[in-house]
């Protein structure tokens, strides 16, 4: 995929990039490749592949959810800036928080935000289980996003505590989501969520099936969740 094809593909979905936004994506790509030589950010570094599998893939939730109506977003496990940075470039009004357990990635994200001139980008070092119990972050966001971090029952415990009541959690998942959805039903309900829709589509250039799971926060998350760091992974809600 060329940069021009990327812009055309987004325009076909109603997202028109300005010249500045196109330059920001180009700059982000170059920073990603440069920093990837120093730290493990991604196994995908070929330009066309980055544009399809990282940039375009990260923006797909906006095809199914009104990001123009969202003010605050938190990306859980957003390490190299996916989906947070592509979404922030496309929707500059959004206040974007990125939480990741690897501190060295925070320096990369700070540098990206500075170099690209992105305001209101806040990388936060920490584990989701810990930050999700903190008053500064708990139930403070319109939208929570996460991309391929963990299975949905576990991911729901990481993410739903951050969404404010009537807010949403969007999981960007790969193919064959049905088993995960069935496995996660109890967890989603326990944590105050309700699955509103699942959008299944093929990523461009035969890059595979993707699923967007949109969950609404219909009730406050019980105070006992998320459990202490490490517990959800050992004893997922089923």
């Amino acid at each position: 995929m060329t940069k021009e094809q990327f812009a055309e593909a987004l325009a076909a979905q109603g997202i028109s990039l300005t010249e500045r936004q196109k330059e920001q994506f180009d700059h982000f790509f170059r920073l990603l490749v440069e920093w990837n030589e120093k730290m493990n950010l991604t196994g995908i570094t070929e330009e066309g592949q980055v544009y399809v599998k990282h940039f375009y893939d990260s923006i797909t939730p906006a095809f199914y959810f009104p990001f123009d109506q969202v003010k605050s977003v938190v990306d859980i496990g957003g390490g190299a800036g996916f989906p947070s940075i592509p979404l922030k470039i496309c929707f500059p009004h959004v206040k974007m928080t990125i939480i990741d357990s690897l501190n060295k990635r925070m320096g990369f994200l700070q540098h990206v935000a500075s170099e690209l001139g992105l305001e209101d980008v806040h990388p936060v070092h920490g584990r989701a289980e810990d930050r999700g119990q903190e008053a500064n972050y708990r139930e403070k966001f319109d939208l929570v996003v996460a991309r391929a971090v963990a299975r949905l029952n576990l991911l729901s415990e990481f993410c739903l505590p951050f969404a404010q009541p009537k807010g949403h959690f969007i999981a960007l998942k790969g193919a064959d989501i049905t088993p995960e959805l069935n496995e996660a039903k109890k967890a989603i309900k326990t944590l105050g969520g309700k699955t509103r829709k699942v959008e299944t589509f093929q990523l461009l250039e035969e890059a595979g099936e993707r699923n967007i799971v949109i969950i609404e926060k219909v009730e406050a998350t019980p105070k006992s969740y998320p459990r202490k760091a490490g517990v959800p992974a050992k004893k997922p809600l089923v």
Side-chain angles (χ1 to χ4, degrees), residues 104-226:
K104 60 183 181 180
R105 289 178 178 165
M106 300 299 100
F108 170 68
L109 295 171
Q110 291 277 20
H111 185 70
V112 166
S114 174
E115 286 284 304
L116 271 55
L118 299 174
E119 298 178 357
D120 263 339
V121 174
H122 307 283
V124 176
H125 174 237
R127 294 184 64 142
E129 302 101 313
D130 298 329
R131 296 297 187 186
Q133 287 287 4
E134 293 177 14
N136 285 345
Y137 303 104
R138 185 178 180 86
E139 301 194 328
K140 287 290 191 286
F141 298 90
D142 297 334
L143 179 62
V144 188
V145 294
R147 180 175 180 251
V149 175
R151 291 185 70 81
L152 193 56
N153 59 338
L154 179 55
L155 197 56
S156 296
E157 186 168 352
F158 290 160
C159 294
L160 275 167
F162 291 91
Q164 59 190 25
K166 297 186 180 178
H168 291 80
F169 159 43
I170 296 180
L172 290 75
K173 305 294 289 184
D176 193 20
I177 192 67
T178 304
E180 278 193 53
L181 281 169
N182 291 332
E183 179 185 59
K185 277 181 181 175
K186 181 185 175 184
I188 291 168
K189 188 174 190 296
T190 299
L191 296 157
K194 185 174 180 62
T195 302
R196 288 303 184 195
K197 60 179 176 175
V198 180
E199 299 286 353
T200 303
F201 60 97
Q202 294 293 325
L203 201 57
L204 299 179
E205 300 191 346
E206 299 181 357
E209 182 181 293
R210 296 289 189 274
N211 284 274
I212 301 287
V213 183
I214 300 175
I215 297 169
E216 184 181 358
K217 181 79 165 276
V218 293
E219 296 177 345
T221 299
K223 286 185 168 58
S224 53
Y225 299 102

Side-chain angles (χ1 to χ4, degrees), residues 1-12 15-17 22:
M1 172 180 269
T2 65
K3 289 178 265 192
E4 292 75 21
Q5 289 169 329
F6 170 71
E8 288 169 6
L10 290 184
I15 300 171
S16 298
L17 298 180
K22 292 175 187 176

Side-chain angles (χ1 to χ4, degrees), residues 10-43:
L10 290 184
Q13 295 288 347
I15 300 171
S16 298
L17 298 180
T18 64
E19 288 304 314
R20 172 170 165 73
Q21 287 169 316
K22 292 175 187 176
E23 289 168 6
Q24 287 173 319
F25 276 111
D26 180 57
H27 199 168
F28 184 27
F29 164 69
R30 287 184 278 113
L31 289 172
L32 183 70
V33 173
E34 177 190 335
W35 280 62
N36 199 55
E37 294 178 2
K38 297 182 275 185
M39 63 175 73
N40 182 27
L41 293 169
T42 177

